Amino acid sequence: MKINWGTAIVISFIGFISFILFFVIRMSMDNRANHDLVTEEYYKAELEYQNEIDAAANAANKGNLSIKRTSQGLVLTFPTYYSTEKIKGKVSLYRPSNKHLDFDLALNLSNAHLLIPDKRLLDGRWDIKISWEYEGEAYLQKESIIY
C-alpha cells in the first residue's frame, strides 16, 4: 500500500501528540515530580509574617545567637546577658529537599548552649528557625547552613 503525503502528515501528527501525551501522563504520575508547599496552611502563615519581622528585628537589635558546627553536632549559643531560665521557645530545622527530615526541638536550657546531635542532621542544606521569648518579648533568628 502506498502512503500519500496527506496521510503521512496525519500519521506524524498522531505520533507527535501520542509522544507528548505519554510524557505528560508519566510526569503527572511520578512521585519525584510531586512538590508540596512549604507549609500546609500557607495563607494563615502569611498573615502572621509581620510578627516574625518584629521578632527578627528584636533579635538583630539585642544580639544574635551563634551557630557552630562541632564534632558532636550543631551548637547554638545564646548571648551571656540572657538568663537561661527565662528563655522559652523552639528550634525548627527544615530540610528543603525532604520534608520527612524536618523536626522541632524545644528550648529548655540549663546553660547558654543547646546541642543538636550530629546523628539527627544529614549532610546538606538545612534552614534553621530559632524562635524564643525572653521576658515577654519575642525573638526570631533564621539561617541557612550547609551541614
Side-chain angles (χ1 to χ4, degrees), residues 82-132:
Y82 285 125
S83 175
T84 57
E85 298 84 28
K86 297 179 183 178
I87 297 174
K88 300 293 180 224
K90 72 175 184 175
V91 177
S92 300
L93 283 100
Y94 167 71
R95 181 69 181 242
S97 62
N98 187 350
K99 73 178 182 178
H100 299 294
L101 296 175
D102 299 350
F103 63 95
D104 295 333
L105 295 171
L107 279 176
N108 294 324
L109 302 173
S110 59
N111 57 18
H113 306 288
L114 175 70
L115 175 67
I116 301 169
D118 188 45
K119 64 182 177 182
R120 301 245 0 225
L121 300 170
L122 296 176
D123 291 341
R125 179 177 170 213
W126 288 92
D127 291 339
I128 300 174
K129 180 179 174 182
I130 307 153
S131 58
W132 73 96

XYZ file of all heavy atoms in Angstrom, residues 82-132:
423
model
N 21.597 36.977 78.569
C 20.298 36.337 78.749
C 20.351 35.404 79.948
O 21.294 34.637 80.111
C 19.908 35.497 77.528
C 19.465 36.283 76.332
C 20.078 36.101 75.099
C 18.417 37.182 76.399
C 19.680 36.793 73.984
C 18.004 37.887 75.292
C 18.634 37.690 74.086
O 18.236 38.384 72.979
N 19.328 35.445 80.772
C 19.182 34.476 81.852
C 18.524 33.232 81.251
O 17.382 33.298 80.782
C 18.310 35.065 82.965
O 18.065 34.100 83.943
N 19.230 32.117 81.254
C 18.762 30.932 80.528
C 17.467 30.352 81.084
O 16.737 29.688 80.365
C 19.849 29.839 80.527
O 20.207 29.534 81.871
C 21.049 30.298 79.752
N 17.152 30.616 82.354
C 15.921 30.090 82.929
C 14.693 30.784 82.347
O 13.593 30.238 82.369
C 15.910 30.253 84.454
C 17.010 29.518 85.184
C 18.313 30.302 85.227
O 18.292 31.551 85.193
O 19.372 29.651 85.263
N 14.852 31.996 81.839
C 13.725 32.774 81.324
C 13.508 32.605 79.821
O 12.572 33.163 79.275
C 13.949 34.264 81.620
C 13.993 34.587 83.092
C 14.235 36.065 83.288
C 14.349 36.402 84.770
N 14.638 37.834 84.967
N 14.343 31.833 79.166
C 14.228 31.638 77.716
C 13.311 30.447 77.447
O 13.552 29.342 77.911
C 15.602 31.399 77.077
C 16.499 32.614 77.253
C 15.458 31.062 75.600
C 17.917 32.409 76.781
N 12.263 30.698 76.689
C 11.345 29.638 76.259
C 11.147 29.776 74.753
O 11.034 30.878 74.235
C 9.988 29.761 76.955
C 10.054 29.666 78.461
C 10.465 28.291 78.894
C 10.528 28.233 80.409
N 11.690 27.546 80.894
N 11.103 28.662 74.054
C 10.894 28.721 72.611
C 11.159 27.395 71.951
O 11.115 26.348 72.592
N 11.435 27.456 70.649
C 11.704 26.217 69.923
C 12.657 26.481 68.770
O 12.812 27.602 68.289
C 10.419 25.574 69.423
C 9.754 26.271 68.280
C 8.572 25.468 67.796
C 7.974 26.141 66.570
N 6.909 25.350 65.979
N 13.295 25.399 68.347
C 14.203 25.411 67.200
C 13.577 24.499 66.153
O 13.275 23.345 66.435
C 15.603 24.880 67.590
C 16.509 24.838 66.386
C 16.197 25.708 68.696
N 13.357 25.050 64.959
C 12.796 24.275 63.854
C 13.869 24.085 62.800
O 14.482 25.060 62.362
C 11.603 24.993 63.236
O 10.589 25.186 64.177
N 14.098 22.862 62.427
C 15.052 22.559 61.364
C 14.272 22.025 60.172
O 13.525 21.056 60.296
C 16.093 21.553 61.829
C 17.136 22.209 62.724
C 16.839 21.926 64.163
C 18.493 21.763 62.347
N 14.449 22.696 59.048
C 13.709 22.398 57.835
C 14.687 21.961 56.755
O 15.671 22.623 56.498
C 12.944 23.656 57.400
C 12.372 23.609 56.017
C 11.289 22.804 55.721
C 12.909 24.383 55.003
C 10.763 22.764 54.453
C 12.392 24.356 53.726
C 11.313 23.539 53.458
O 10.805 23.502 52.189
N 14.406 20.826 56.152
C 15.242 20.302 55.077
C 14.503 20.520 53.753
O 13.481 19.882 53.505
C 15.506 18.815 55.315
C 16.376 18.138 54.295
C 17.805 18.638 54.406
N 18.624 18.003 53.407
C 19.652 17.233 53.696
N 20.002 17.035 54.940
N 20.339 16.691 52.735
N 14.950 21.461 52.904
C 14.227 21.757 51.665
C 14.067 20.560 50.734
O 13.082 20.463 50.012
C 15.064 22.846 50.998
C 15.868 23.443 52.085
C 16.095 22.349 53.086
N 15.004 19.642 50.748
C 14.961 18.533 49.803
C 14.076 17.371 50.258
O 13.712 16.536 49.448
C 16.373 18.016 49.548
O 16.934 17.529 50.745
N 13.727 17.317 51.555
C 12.939 16.188 52.040
C 12.188 16.601 53.303
O 12.794 16.775 54.358
C 13.857 14.999 52.333
C 13.096 13.741 52.667
O 11.886 13.741 52.873
N 13.808 12.633 52.726
N 10.872 16.735 53.208
C 10.103 17.205 54.361
C 10.019 16.166 55.478
O 9.678 16.509 56.597
C 8.713 17.649 53.925
C 7.765 16.545 53.546
C 6.407 17.113 53.186
C 5.428 16.020 52.859
N 4.115 16.555 52.552
N 10.362 14.941 55.196
C 10.326 13.906 56.231
C 11.490 14.030 57.215
O 11.470 13.418 58.276
C 10.322 12.518 55.602
C 9.131 12.285 54.717
N 7.850 12.226 55.200
C 9.042 12.145 53.379
C 7.008 12.032 54.210
N 7.705 11.987 53.082
N 12.496 14.824 56.878
C 13.637 15.024 57.774
C 13.448 16.234 58.696
O 14.273 16.468 59.573
C 14.918 15.193 56.961
C 15.356 13.988 56.133
C 16.568 14.343 55.286
C 15.656 12.803 57.023
N 12.387 17.032 58.490
C 12.141 18.214 59.318
C 11.844 17.798 60.754
O 11.204 16.771 60.997
C 10.941 19.003 58.796
C 11.130 19.510 57.382
O 12.255 19.410 56.870
O 10.151 19.998 56.808
N 12.302 18.606 61.709
C 11.971 18.342 63.106
C 12.077 19.623 63.921
O 12.670 20.606 63.495
C 12.837 17.223 63.713
C 14.313 17.533 63.768
C 14.874 18.063 64.926
C 15.145 17.279 62.692
C 16.232 18.331 64.991
C 16.500 17.539 62.749
C 17.043 18.063 63.903
N 11.444 19.606 65.091
C 11.444 20.730 66.028
C 12.028 20.275 67.352
O 11.852 19.118 67.755
C 10.024 21.246 66.282
C 9.392 21.847 65.045
O 10.141 22.329 64.182
O 8.150 21.844 64.952
N 12.707 21.198 68.027
C 13.243 20.946 69.367
C 12.775 22.067 70.285
O 12.779 23.239 69.895
C 14.767 20.933 69.356
C 15.469 19.839 68.574
C 16.952 20.125 68.502
C 15.228 18.501 69.236
N 12.416 21.720 71.506
C 12.041 22.732 72.489
C 13.291 23.328 73.114
O 14.299 22.642 73.296
C 11.157 22.110 73.566
N 13.219 24.612 73.426
C 14.342 25.288 74.084
C 14.139 25.205 75.594
O 13.399 25.975 76.175
C 14.411 26.760 73.673
C 15.065 27.098 72.364
C 14.962 28.581 72.090
C 16.505 26.676 72.353
N 14.771 24.255 76.214
C 14.824 24.136 77.667
C 16.296 24.132 78.035
O 16.958 23.107 77.978
C 14.131 22.852 78.153
C 12.653 22.880 77.882
O 12.025 23.931 77.972
N 12.085 21.743 77.530
N 16.784 25.298 78.407
C 18.219 25.462 78.593
C 18.610 25.421 80.065
O 17.936 25.989 80.905
C 18.669 26.808 78.009
C 18.371 27.029 76.530
C 18.713 28.456 76.149
C 19.153 26.058 75.689
N 19.700 24.738 80.342
C 20.297 24.791 81.670
C 21.544 25.661 81.656
O 21.979 26.159 82.672
C 20.634 23.383 82.165
O 21.522 22.764 81.262
N 22.129 25.825 80.460
C 23.233 26.770 80.281
C 22.991 27.508 78.964
O 21.950 27.353 78.351
C 24.594 26.058 80.308
C 24.702 24.980 79.266
O 23.950 24.941 78.303
N 25.640 24.081 79.462
N 23.920 28.288 78.526
C 23.717 29.142 77.355
C 23.883 28.402 76.030
O 23.865 29.012 74.979
C 24.675 30.324 77.413
N 24.014 27.066 76.072
C 24.250 26.288 74.859
C 23.128 25.283 74.647
O 22.566 24.754 75.601
C 25.565 25.500 74.949
C 26.745 26.353 75.270
N 27.289 27.231 74.370
C 27.480 26.460 76.393
C 28.307 27.841 74.929
N 28.453 27.388 76.163
N 22.833 25.018 73.380
C 21.930 23.937 73.002
C 22.636 23.127 71.934
O 23.105 23.674 70.934
C 20.606 24.477 72.461
C 19.646 23.413 71.919
C 19.097 22.574 73.064
C 18.521 24.043 71.145
N 22.742 21.818 72.149
C 23.410 20.928 71.205
C 22.367 20.132 70.437
O 21.516 19.474 71.033
C 24.356 19.967 71.940
C 25.023 18.903 71.080
C 25.994 19.533 70.102
C 25.713 17.872 71.946
N 22.440 20.227 69.121
C 21.625 19.380 68.252
C 22.546 18.252 67.811
O 23.552 18.500 67.139
C 21.089 20.171 67.051
C 20.240 21.341 67.554
C 20.281 19.268 66.139
C 19.872 22.333 66.490
N 22.246 17.010 68.193
C 23.174 15.904 67.943
C 23.464 15.684 66.459
O 22.609 15.897 65.599
C 22.456 14.692 68.536
C 21.402 15.235 69.416
C 21.047 16.580 68.907
N 24.665 15.243 66.187
C 25.133 15.000 64.830
C 24.311 13.922 64.131
O 24.104 13.979 62.926
C 26.607 14.604 64.878
C 27.225 14.520 63.510
O 26.990 15.440 62.712
O 27.938 13.541 63.241
N 23.808 12.945 64.885
C 23.061 11.845 64.273
C 21.699 12.281 63.733
O 21.121 11.594 62.905
C 22.887 10.700 65.270
C 22.060 11.058 66.482
C 21.969 9.916 67.461
C 21.185 10.358 68.683
N 21.090 9.337 69.667
N 21.186 13.434 64.163
C 19.893 13.926 63.668
C 20.031 14.742 62.391
O 19.039 15.022 61.730
C 19.214 14.819 64.724
C 18.968 14.134 66.013
C 17.606 13.899 66.493
N 16.444 14.290 65.795
C 15.422 14.885 66.376
N 15.483 15.221 67.643
N 14.336 15.146 65.695
N 21.248 15.142 62.050
C 21.472 16.024 60.905
C 22.230 15.293 59.805
O 23.334 14.821 60.023
C 22.264 17.259 61.335
C 21.613 18.127 62.399
C 22.603 19.159 62.907
C 20.378 18.805 61.848
N 21.639 15.210 58.646
C 22.321 14.639 57.491
C 23.076 15.747 56.770
O 22.770 16.925 56.927
C 21.306 14.018 56.535
C 20.521 12.827 57.076
C 19.497 12.380 56.057
C 21.452 11.684 57.411
N 24.059 15.362 55.987
C 24.805 16.347 55.212
C 23.881 17.006 54.196
O 23.006 16.363 53.627
C 25.966 15.681 54.478
C 27.041 15.206 55.436
O 27.065 15.695 56.578
O 27.857 14.356 55.028
N 24.084 18.306 54.005
C 23.281 19.041 53.034
C 22.785 20.349 53.620
O 23.222 20.788 54.685
N 21.851 20.962 52.929
C 21.329 22.267 53.343
C 20.212 22.109 54.364
O 19.317 21.287 54.216
C 20.793 23.020 52.137
C 20.232 24.363 52.520
C 19.767 25.146 51.337
N 19.043 26.313 51.821
C 18.026 26.853 51.206
N 17.615 26.361 50.065
N 17.428 27.889 51.705
N 20.280 22.930 55.411
C 19.253 22.996 56.452
C 18.878 24.460 56.654
O 19.743 25.329 56.690
C 19.767 22.440 57.785
C 19.920 20.968 57.805
C 21.035 20.251 57.494
C 18.927 20.009 58.168
N 20.798 18.914 57.634
C 19.513 18.739 58.049
C 17.605 20.105 58.574
C 18.814 17.573 58.330
C 16.917 18.943 58.849
C 17.512 17.688 58.727
N 17.593 24.729 56.807
C 17.114 26.049 57.197
C 16.747 25.964 58.668
O 15.912 25.144 59.061
C 15.900 26.469 56.369
C 16.252 26.738 54.917
O 17.441 26.992 54.642
O 15.346 26.705 54.077
N 17.372 26.811 59.481
C 17.153 26.803 60.923
C 16.354 28.036 61.297
O 16.682 29.150 60.905
C 18.490 26.799 61.686
C 19.298 25.571 61.306
C 18.244 26.837 63.182
C 20.682 25.568 61.904
N 15.302 27.813 62.064
C 14.461 28.907 62.556
C 14.400 28.770 64.078
O 13.867 27.799 64.596
C 13.075 28.810 61.939
C 12.117 29.875 62.378
C 10.775 29.675 61.674
C 9.745 30.621 62.174
N 8.440 30.386 61.517
N 14.985 29.745 64.765
C 15.020 29.724 66.220
C 14.104 30.840 66.714
O 14.367 32.012 66.475
C 16.444 29.944 66.743
C 17.400 28.957 66.092
C 16.485 29.813 68.260
C 18.805 29.441 66.008
N 13.029 30.463 67.354
C 12.114 31.467 67.905
C 12.076 31.278 69.414
O 11.909 30.169 69.908
C 10.724 31.327 67.295
O 10.202 30.045 67.519
N 12.265 32.373 70.142
C 12.254 32.296 71.590
C 11.611 33.545 72.166
O 11.444 34.550 71.488
C 13.653 32.059 72.135
C 14.609 33.216 72.088
C 14.876 34.094 73.094
C 15.434 33.617 70.998
N 15.817 35.001 72.702
C 16.176 34.742 71.418
C 15.625 33.153 69.712
C 17.081 35.385 70.596
C 16.528 33.795 68.895
C 17.239 34.890 69.342
